[in-house]
Amino acid sequence: MIYKTTAPGAEVDRILDSTDHTAPRNFQFSDLEPGVYITKIHESADGTTLGNLRHDFWVDAVTNQILLERRFYRVGGSDTYDPAADTIKISDPYFQGKNITGIFQQGNRYLRQDKSEWSINVDGEIEFGVDSIGGVQIKNWADTVWAVEISYIQSDTGGGSQKYGDVVIVTADTTLSAAHWNMNIYGRGASNKLILTAPALASIPENKGFTLVHDGGNSINVVLQLQAGETARFLGGNYNNIKLGIGDWIRCTKKTISGTAYLFVEPGKGHWDQLGLIVMARKVLPNSIRLDGTEYDLSVQLRLADIVNDLPGDQIVPYGNLEGQFDYLATINDEAVYVNHGFFARDLVNNMVKVPDLNNQGVRFLKSGSDSSRVNQTPGGYQHHYVGRHSHSLPRDGGGVLDIQSLVPTSNSDEGISSLSQTGFHNPTGETVMRNTGLIPLMLI
């Protein structure tokens, strides 16, 4: 029989088993709400009337971990490890390696270990001491029933961030059902995206949920899609869908507050708060794309679509090679420059996008708003743009100074200068090239 610890008097479910119990048995209760349950094993003569209580466990239904166990011993009883009358020990090999935290005498009280009323001896036996109240030796008085409590250290210290126990693998678009509650759902899509649709939240039992993991496959994103008008609480906001990248996972629980049903979603792993962040690396990272001018289909790259849709208008240009368009090529200071390759290009008709091409460019940042006086206004720019045109001067033979910008590479013998080249000033053929760092520009998606 099982009971919730929050309502220990209300039976939740029971299993009747009349088979031979000489060997260990496994029992499974299905479709439980998350929580800690008291599991009691009774003798029963008719399958209905409860007899002697033989075992008592506290079990976490999410992780299947035992939290607390009680074992019962009747003095002079018929079980193998029931103690004999007038002895001062309880010996059971089951105690070896266990964390015994309490000894209770039914009809009386807990014995106090801190008062030396009981201890564990070198053989792993429970050994009684002297009653701290009456001053007499505690022993196995005839017909006494002892309850020995054993506590278990939990292996997951993360509390609410731990995942559920059983695993369900999903490879095609699926509407979630009762078969998925309290499960680890591993999305391993066969197509380029995998959509898992939640039913109406009112149909999901209260406090039930699931863990969703993007487990690779061919899907770029695994999407948890709610019904129209329904809300998932996630990262401090309300969302109708949540998109996972490869390796991301979330834990979801249905809860009704003030008459409104929500799906509360806890991020387990993922960089949702860094989507669109530009980084540098020596290889393409998981859930990232190269910023090299590549074209993407936004009906497939779902998180990239969210990023592009949130961009301000001055960060997006149209497709094409005319002025103001993505592939417009202008000659500036004797150099051919794609002045708009630092922007995103959007094809609204076909739902496509070209990402910025930051290859072979340095990084410059926008000042407030647009800056039409500068070439290539978004991150990027060529080396010689870092040093604007400026003046140098040389002394004249007859006194004063000579402005170098007034000179041209021809004969000026009357000034005592036969030739002067401007190579190095805005002439790309004489420009020194920065060393290649081997870093790749990426954007997290």
Side-chain angles (χ1 to χ4, degrees):
M1 301 174 62
I2 59 171
Y3 310 79
K4 290 203 73 171
T5 55
T6 54
E11 180 183 335
V12 176
D13 199 359
R14 67 169 63 187
I15 294 174
L16 177 63
D17 186 355
S18 59
T19 58
D20 184 8
H21 291 173
T22 57
R25 302 281 295 169
N26 292 323
F27 302 96
Q28 180 173 328
F29 293 91
S30 301
D31 204 29
L32 297 177
E33 296 181 358
V36 177
Y37 288 79
I38 304 170
T39 304
K40 295 184 177 181
I41 300 177
H42 288 266
E43 295 176 342
S44 178
D46 56 11
T48 302
T49 305
L50 300 181
N52 292 331
L53 178 63
R54 305 303 302 268
H55 297 285
D56 183 349
F57 304 90
W58 287 36
V59 182
D60 186 336
V62 172
T63 64
N64 291 326
Q65 288 182 301
I66 297 174
L67 309 180
L68 179 70
E69 175 185 3
R70 291 190 183 97
R71 298 175 70 87
F72 298 89
Y73 300 85
R74 179 181 294 276
V75 176
S78 59
D79 283 351
T80 303
Y81 299 109
D82 283 341
D86 295 325
T87 59
I88 61 170
K89 297 178 183 178
I90 302 176
S91 301
D92 187 340
Y94 187 81
F95 297 155
Q96 296 292 330
K98 299 296 194 301
N99 181 31
I100 298 174
T101 53
I103 310 293
F104 182 75
Q105 182 185 8
Q106 287 193 358
N108 192 1
R109 64 178 177 88
Y110 278 96
L111 303 187
R112 294 186 59 174
Q113 188 178 25
D114 63 324
K115 295 290 187 180
S116 300
E117 292 183 338
W118 67 274
S119 61
I120 304 296
N121 65 24
V122 294
D123 295 320
E125 303 168 315
I126 296 172
E127 187 166 339
F128 298 123
V130 174
D131 188 326
S132 63
I133 299 174
V136 298
Q137 172 69 48
I138 299 171
K139 62 182 179 178
N140 289 307
W141 296 286
D143 295 325
T144 296
V145 175
W146 298 105
V148 178
E149 290 186 353
I150 301 171
S151 297
Y152 293 84
I153 298 173
Q154 301 309 296
S155 61
D156 188 334
T157 60
S161 66
Q162 62 193 9
K163 293 185 276 188
Y164 291 99
D166 294 329
V167 171
V168 175
I169 297 174
V170 178
T171 59
D173 292 353
T174 300
T175 297
L176 302 180
S177 66
H180 300 101
W181 308 151
N182 297 358
M183 296 290 184
N184 278 327
I185 303 172
Y186 277 70
R188 195 182 298 165
S191 61
N192 54 33
K193 60 185 172 184
L194 176 63
I195 299 177
L196 304 183
T197 303
L201 294 181
S203 70
I204 301 177
E206 197 73 2
N207 298 318
K208 287 198 174 182
F210 51 90
T211 294
L212 177 57
V213 182
H214 189 330
D215 193 41
N218 296 324
S219 296
I220 296 170
N221 297 120
V222 171
V223 182
L224 174 61
Q225 179 65 57
L226 275 64
Q227 299 295 315
E230 295 199 318
T231 297
R233 287 293 300 172
F234 181 59
L235 296 177
N238 294 327
Y239 295 85
N240 185 248
N241 62 67
I242 298 172
K243 304 174 182 72
L244 282 68
I246 295 174
D248 295 352
W249 68 270
I250 54 177
R251 179 172 172 172
C252 308
T253 304
K254 183 271 183 89
K255 185 72 176 177
T256 302
I257 298 178
S258 301
T260 301
Y262 294 92
L263 193 67
F264 284 85
V265 180
E266 177 184 357
K269 175 187 177 296
H271 57 231
W272 292 278
D273 57 343
Q274 296 181 323
L275 296 180
L277 182 68
I278 295 176
V279 300
M280 295 178 292
R282 294 188 180 274
K283 66 176 184 177
V284 178
L285 304 174
N287 302 315
S288 72
I289 55 174
R290 295 183 67 145
L291 293 176
D292 58 2
T294 296
E295 182 180 54
Y296 292 97
D297 184 347
L298 295 182
S299 67
V300 175
Q301 287 280 357
L302 303 180
R303 294 212 295 202
L304 176 59
D306 288 344
I307 294 168
V308 174
N309 290 334
D310 285 341
L311 288 173
D314 61 2
Q315 292 293 304
I316 301 174
V317 297
Y319 275 38
N321 57 12
L322 301 178
E323 186 172 358
Q325 297 176 339
F326 186 72
D327 288 317
Y328 175 61
L329 185 63
T331 300
I332 301 175
N333 298 318
D334 302 320
E335 183 173 4
V337 178
Y338 286 102
V339 296
N340 292 319
H341 270 194
F343 296 100
F344 288 82
R346 185 75 185 269
D347 177 356
L348 293 171
V349 174
N350 297 301
N351 200 26
M352 306 292 286
V353 70
K354 289 182 180 179
V355 298
D357 183 1
L358 301 188
N359 287 328
N360 299 317
Q361 297 194 36
V363 176
R364 294 175 61 194
F365 296 99
L366 284 172
K367 67 179 187 179
S368 180
S370 61
D371 183 5
S372 58
S373 65
R374 300 190 181 194
V375 175
N376 208 358
Q377 300 159 28
T378 55
Y382 295 88
Q383 180 183 345
H384 62 265
H385 297 149
Y386 282 84
V387 181
R389 184 180 293 272
H390 53 283
S391 296
H392 293 269
S393 60
L394 296 172
R396 280 174 170 266
D397 290 342
V401 296
L402 180 65
D403 186 351
I404 196 170
Q405 289 191 343
S406 68
L407 302 179
V408 293
T410 58
S411 175
N412 290 277
S413 58
D414 58 328
E415 300 291 347
I417 299 174
S418 60
S419 178
L420 180 64
S421 171
Q422 295 188 53
T423 299
F425 297 93
H426 299 274
N427 186 338
T429 60
E431 183 173 308
T432 58
V433 178
M434 292 182 286
R435 293 185 181 275
N436 190 341
T437 63
L439 295 174
I440 303 170
L442 305 171
M443 185 171 70
L444 303 183
I445 61 168

